[in-house]
Amino acid sequence: QNVCGSHGMPVSMQDLRCTGHEKTLADCEWQDPDDSCMDHSKDSMVRCESDELPSEGSIRLVDVDGKPSLDGSGRLEFFQHGEWGSVCNRDYEQASTNVACRSMGFAAVDLNAGTDCKSFRGKNYCGTNPPQLQLGCTGNESNVVECPMRTGEDVDISCGADKSVVMTCKGPNPKRGSSEKERAPWLA
């Protein structure tokens, strides 16, 4: 399974070679991509880790195993008070999904993906902890931190782990990067 890019998405570079002393990827040696790269079968992935905590209000999608999603599908989580927590699906509308996907750098929402965390993509994506946030976006917000929300004890008492929001976002959004990371460089 190719988790890097979809056919038709741009490729930045090929044959990337770095010594480790460069400040950016643009400082490394690389070639312009040729046609053999366009199907994304030769894409490389890098995982970076840091002891630095995410910014308050960051969002992410997590896979069935609780790890960050690689394909734009999963349980929506929100970072607050030093930890990640699920978002409750009570009073949750499509507008909130649109804003969340846009905030993470995606262009659109897959409306056919399903919304029940117990059977999302044929698996249980609910997690074990009850959601700690309710979102009420109107759709006009540029980021979820601008949305009306309830947190902590103000979250609906019936929001158990089985009420966690799940979603599928799709397509790159060239006008906005992820809320947590910078986009890879697009080099000419």
Side-chain angles (χ1 to χ4, degrees), residues 12-31 184-188:
S12 298
M13 56 184 71
Q14 87 177 36
D15 297 329
L16 177 66
R17 291 174 304 284
C18 302
T19 64
H21 300 287
E22 299 85 356
K23 290 186 179 191
T24 70
L25 288 178
D27 296 332
C28 298
E29 290 183 33
W30 53 273
Q31 303 296 316
W186 298 105
L187 303 173

Side-chain angles (χ1 to χ4, degrees), residues 71-157:
D71 65 2
S73 290
R75 183 177 69 243
L76 180 63
E77 291 191 337
F78 188 85
F79 191 80
Q80 64 179 351
H81 310 301
E83 59 187 29
W84 290 102
S86 298
V87 176
C88 180
N89 68 8
R90 287 268 189 248
D91 302 323
Y92 186 87
E93 300 290 335
Q94 182 64 45
S96 294
T97 300
N98 294 341
V99 174
C101 286
R102 211 172 35 241
S103 295
M104 290 184 286
F106 293 97
V109 175
D110 184 348
L111 298 175
N112 299 315
T115 58
D116 183 359
C117 70
K118 295 182 293 294
S119 60
F120 187 67
R121 301 172 80 180
K123 296 182 180 173
N124 186 336
Y125 275 71
C126 297
T128 56
N129 296 323
Q132 296 298 309
L133 178 82
Q134 282 181 269
L135 281 177
C137 305
T138 65
N140 297 321
E141 300 88 352
S142 61
N143 195 303
V144 292
V145 295
E146 298 171 7
C147 297
M149 61 181 72
R150 287 185 268 175
T151 62
E153 293 179 7
D154 292 331
V155 173
D156 190 320
I157 194 161

Side-chain angles (χ1 to χ4, degrees), residues 1 100 109 168:
Q1 175 186 2
V109 175
T168 297

